[in-house]
Amino acid sequence: MNIQQLLSDKIKHAMVLAGVPADCDALVKQSAKVQFGDYQANGIMAAAKKMAMNPRQLAEQVVKHIALDDCISHVEIAGPGFINLFLNATWIAKQNTLALNDPKLNLTLADKPQNIIVDYSAPNVAKEMHVGHLRSTIIGDASVRVLAFLGHHVIRANHVGDWGTQFGMLIAYLEKMQNENANDMALADLEVFYRTAKKHYDEDPVFAEKARGYVVKLQSGDEYCRSMWRKLVDITMSQNLATYRRLNVTLSLEDTMGESIYNAMLPAVVADLKQQGIAVESEGATVVFLDEFKNKEGEPMGVIVQKRDGGYLYATTDIAAIKYRYEHYHANRILYYTDSRQHQHLEQVWLIAHKAGYIPPSLQLEHHMFGMMLGKDGKPFKTRSGDTVKLNDLLDEAIERATTLIKSKNPDLNDDELATIADAVAIGAVKYADLSKNRTTDYVFDWDNMLSFEGNTAPYLQYAYTRVLSIFRKAGLSIDNLTGDILLEYEKERALALKLSQFNEIVLSVANDGVPHMLCAYLYEIATLFSSFYEHCPVLSADSDQSKNSRLQLAALSAKTLKVGLDMLGIKTIEKM
Ligand code: ARG
């Protein structure tokens, strides 16, 4: 049940009955303070302005038409014309019961499932994933999970950088390695492999000549070069797959839709852009000039789609990709998870695809961009020697730190238990640190903060979850199959119950806007509200069986909400820690 939506509809209806034009919004929001009710409608002021009326008077008119029912207990007009809405506790309790009895927690599923392409992760072949790919992978995967949960048809598009002139040099170097030691071990460390290949290319003219030859051969489909290229792609992707597994990310090899698959489309796309008069020859290259983007001189900006030497560019591939995604998957929405520096690139690609008629205006294109990951010094996150941090090293360190921490808190765990908990906490902490920050800004990577058991962190939420389970363990009860009425007699009960009933709204925001930090903030609120409820309202030693049973249900729904929410974020829960 989406309460915000339900109340919006009700207030909107009352507004229309009070003579407010139909295009005025009720603007119903959760109230920031209890004295302002549970929700408030803020749309009256704007409507009054439009109607040249006194807003308070209009509010009074509207209020007369609000039907008090089992949901709304009473309303109040506040300030210049806000309408504060108070919900019935029994109705809130009923929503909790409905959620408790549904494996999907009574969340509103998509009535019209969409085809949604999520373009994320996208590492580059023969290179290690770096922290930028980490952000894209983690945030993108949370969106994927939420959209799939709601019943959308999600297509994970891992737009891997697996094509380009660098492959000549990489093939030549792989060949050299194979000739020298007859195995592929050199690829175990991709970063070193790439760097050494580049060094040979820069310093050895014979090698460079061979590499350039291989580029041409690869592009013309030469079998030997193709198979060497495949080897490079396969080794890289199997390493990435291991990282995805470690990170509890849902990407699999089938989701790899690298740049190479669009390669065959590029000549036709460029020819078509030219034929339509969208692209023109300019100094030997093929360029699309866009009036909508101006360069430093104030002239239309040129996007090169084919270089003078015939080579294609990152933009050309993205134009082909969008065309393909629309034609092949009938995409309704495409979400791109890349850092903010690629924003202009994407906007230009979208504009060109629109101008060329490759996609209809109805296709929703969204760049869910993010800022950079910074070190504690506020500079881009690097190792002490200034190198980029390898993802696997970062995760190793997380596991090491979490193991020490968990061991000190709980010295009696056996090795298996310790390993399972440390893994959930370590990976959870790294992911949550990223997910819990508004993605549009840079964020500071700080081990101590993210592994703390206090505050808005993964360990805090994971621990809160185990605390609820331990109540049930102690009572010898299961969190499933609880029955009976939920009673909201105390303020702490009501506050927790209300928050639990608002899960739907948060999940929808994540689905619509790709804002996992809002889900994090919500789960954190559930955990803190549960904690103060538990402190003030004894569960197992409640005054009556009825009250005990009711509180057990609130506890059970808190645990289930935490679990489903953390699952959506790709964060594991454990039973004990
Ligand atoms: N491989 C690119 C990079 O490492 C990211 C690709 C993002 N997706 C896209 N359709 N351009 O920067």
Side-chain angles (χ1 to χ4, degrees):
M1 163 64 66
N2 182 344
I3 304 180
Q4 189 271 339
Q5 186 63 56
L6 178 84
L7 295 174
S8 292
D9 293 347
K10 283 179 188 280
I11 306 306
K12 175 90 202 196
H13 185 65
M15 284 166 73
V16 171
L17 291 179
V20 175
D23 61 340
C24 291
D25 205 339
L27 298 178
V28 171
K29 305 234 153 40
Q30 293 177 17
S31 300
K33 289 192 175 140
V34 265
Q35 63 265 36
F36 300 149
D38 299 316
Y39 284 80
Q40 60 190 89
N42 299 340
I44 302 299
M45 280 75 74
K49 194 165 176 200
K50 202 164 187 177
M51 299 164 73
M53 256 183 95
N54 172 318
R56 239 189 120 105
Q57 258 166 18
L58 179 61
E60 276 160 25
Q61 295 298 319
V62 172
V63 161
K64 276 190 208 146
H65 292 282
I66 299 178
L68 298 183
D69 51 12
D70 58 340
C71 166
I72 305 178
S73 78
H74 65 286
V75 301
E76 275 171 17
I77 298 172
F82 296 104
I83 301 177
N84 297 340
L85 306 163
F86 297 80
L87 302 181
N88 257 315
T90 347
W91 186 84
I92 297 173
K94 202 171 104 199
Q95 305 316 308
N96 292 161
T97 303
L98 290 171
L100 200 54
N101 292 318
D102 175 7
K104 291 203 146 187
L105 303 185
N106 202 32
L107 294 174
T108 319
L109 306 183
D111 51 354
K112 287 193 209 88
Q114 292 186 305
N115 298 327
I116 306 178
I117 304 211
V118 185
D119 180 320
Y120 72 117
S121 192
N124 300 313
V125 166
K127 286 197 178 165
E128 292 262 354
M129 270 204 245
H130 59 67
V131 290
H133 299 118
L134 175 70
R135 295 210 74 186
S136 173
T137 305
I138 292 175
I139 307 173
D141 204 53
S143 271
V144 162
R145 286 168 182 265
V146 169
L147 294 167
F149 185 100
L150 296 180
H152 291 292
H153 178 222
V154 180
I155 298 112
R156 297 162 176 80
N158 195 352
H159 195 81
V160 174
D162 63 355
W163 203 249
T165 47
Q166 74 274 26
F167 280 93
M169 142 195 126
L170 294 169
I171 292 170
Y173 185 58
L174 179 60
E175 177 183 79
K176 185 172 157 64
M177 293 312 295
Q178 285 181 339
N179 289 344
E180 281 165 19
N181 52 20
N183 69 35
D184 300 334
M185 279 315 287
L187 276 170
D189 190 330
L190 290 170
E191 210 57 38
V192 173
F193 180 88
Y194 195 98
R195 232 181 293 139
T196 332
K198 177 96 174 58
K199 198 166 145 59
H200 279 79
Y201 184 81
D202 292 340
E203 291 170 7
D204 177 351
V206 181
F207 180 92
E209 191 48 42
K210 188 182 240 174
R212 278 191 289 271
Y214 281 166
V215 177
V216 179
K217 280 182 144 186
L218 178 66
Q219 284 178 344
S220 61
D222 173 80
E223 217 166 288
Y224 169 74
C225 285
R226 257 336 258 198
S227 79
M228 292 293 267
W229 167 82
R230 206 15 50 232
K231 215 174 238 172
L232 290 161
V233 174
D234 287 348
I235 295 171
T236 309
M237 288 317 288
S238 72
Q239 288 187 18
N240 289 336
L241 188 69
T243 308
Y244 295 148
R245 290 290 158 274
R246 264 192 110 177
L247 278 172
N248 190 28
V249 158
T250 60
L251 280 167
S252 69
L253 290 181
E254 289 76 68
D255 304 318
T256 304
M257 291 188 229
E259 297 180 12
S260 63
I261 63 170
Y262 308 105
N263 190 51
M265 292 172 67
L266 304 182
V269 165
V270 171
D272 181 59
L273 290 174
K274 267 191 187 160
Q275 213 242 312
Q276 293 199 52
I278 296 167
V280 292
E281 295 278 340
S282 172
E283 294 168 46
T286 310
V287 186
V288 179
F289 288 99
L290 296 169
D291 289 330
E292 294 81 352
F293 293 85
K294 300 275 187 248
N295 63 19
K296 280 190 229 93
E297 287 76 41
E299 292 150 359
M301 204 159 171
V303 177
I304 303 178
V305 288
Q306 186 168 22
K307 290 189 288 189
R308 206 195 312 217
D309 67 6
Y312 300 100
L313 291 107
Y314 187 50
T316 328
T317 306
D318 263 319
I319 297 168
I322 202 168
K323 184 172 188 288
Y324 178 82
R325 289 167 181 181
Y326 178 67
E327 286 170 2
H328 196 266
Y329 294 106
H330 311 291
N332 303 106
R333 255 181 108 184
I334 308 179
L335 315 182
Y336 294 81
Y337 285 89
T338 65
D339 73 49
S340 37
R341 288 169 300 185
Q342 298 202 18
H343 190 60
Q344 179 166 298
H345 157 77
L346 287 175
E347 289 205 308
Q348 293 178 336
V349 163
W350 298 344
L351 187 60
I352 295 170
H354 275 300
K355 282 183 196 270
Y358 297 155
I359 49 171
S362 60
L363 173 61
Q364 271 172 263
L365 299 166
E366 300 165 41
H367 183 200
H368 291 183
M369 61 182 129
F370 46 81
M372 283 209 283
M373 186 158 139
L374 306 175
K376 257 184 163 170
D377 55 3
K379 301 206 182 101
F381 192 69
K382 293 266 163 72
T383 61
R384 231 167 272 175
S385 55
D387 291 329
T388 47
V389 178
K390 287 186 194 168
L391 219 46
N392 277 314
D393 294 348
L394 185 92
L395 300 182
D396 288 344
E397 182 165 355
I399 302 268
E400 215 175 277
R401 286 177 182 259
T403 307
T404 314
L405 187 72
I406 304 291
K407 219 170 170 169
S408 73
K409 282 191 187 283
N410 199 344
D412 301 331
L413 294 169
N414 68 39
D415 286 354
D416 278 355
E417 287 172 328
L418 179 63
T420 310
I421 300 175
D423 171 74
V425 168
I427 304 298
V430 170
K431 292 177 82 169
Y432 194 88
D434 200 319
L435 291 165
S436 59
K437 314 288 187 314
N438 186 339
R439 65 173 158 72
T440 54
T441 47
D442 295 346
Y443 89 99
V444 175
F445 188 90
D446 177 349
W447 286 117
D448 296 327
N449 273 342
M450 75 180 76
L451 282 165
S452 167
F453 276 69
E454 307 288 330
N456 188 13
T457 65
Y460 177 76
L461 296 182
Q462 289 166 321
Y463 181 63
Y465 176 73
T466 63
R467 262 181 89 198
V468 188
L469 293 198
S470 78
I471 302 173
F472 285 85
R473 234 185 341 262
K474 210 156 125 195
L477 291 169
S478 146
I479 69 166
D480 297 305
N481 311 321
L482 298 165
T483 51
D485 289 336
I486 295 178
L487 313 165
L488 305 178
E489 292 167 327
Y490 293 88
E491 186 241 310
K492 300 282 178 194
E493 291 173 319
R494 191 187 188 280
L496 175 61
L498 175 67
K499 193 52 75 181
L500 287 167
S501 70
Q502 293 170 331
F503 191 26
N504 206 126
E505 293 162 43
I506 299 298
V507 172
L508 264 185
S509 312
V510 183
N512 292 337
D513 309 319
V515 283
H517 73 283
M518 291 185 60
L519 177 54
C520 295
Y522 172 80
L523 296 175
Y524 178 55
E525 273 186 282
I526 293 290
T528 50
L529 286 172
F530 174 79
S531 173
S532 83
F533 151 81
Y534 191 51
E535 206 177 298
H536 292 89
C537 304
V539 176
L540 296 180
S541 54
D543 292 339
S544 67
D545 278 353
Q546 231 191 351
S547 167
K548 172 176 159 185
N549 184 47
S550 162
R551 287 175 187 172
L552 278 169
Q553 293 185 64
L554 286 177
L557 186 56
S558 302
K560 285 175 190 251
T561 306
L562 285 172
K563 183 165 177 55
V564 170
L566 286 170
D567 270 352
M568 285 173 171
L569 296 170
I571 293 178
K572 289 183 189 161
T573 42
I574 42 245
E575 309 262 302
K576 268 195 243 181
M577 63 193 279

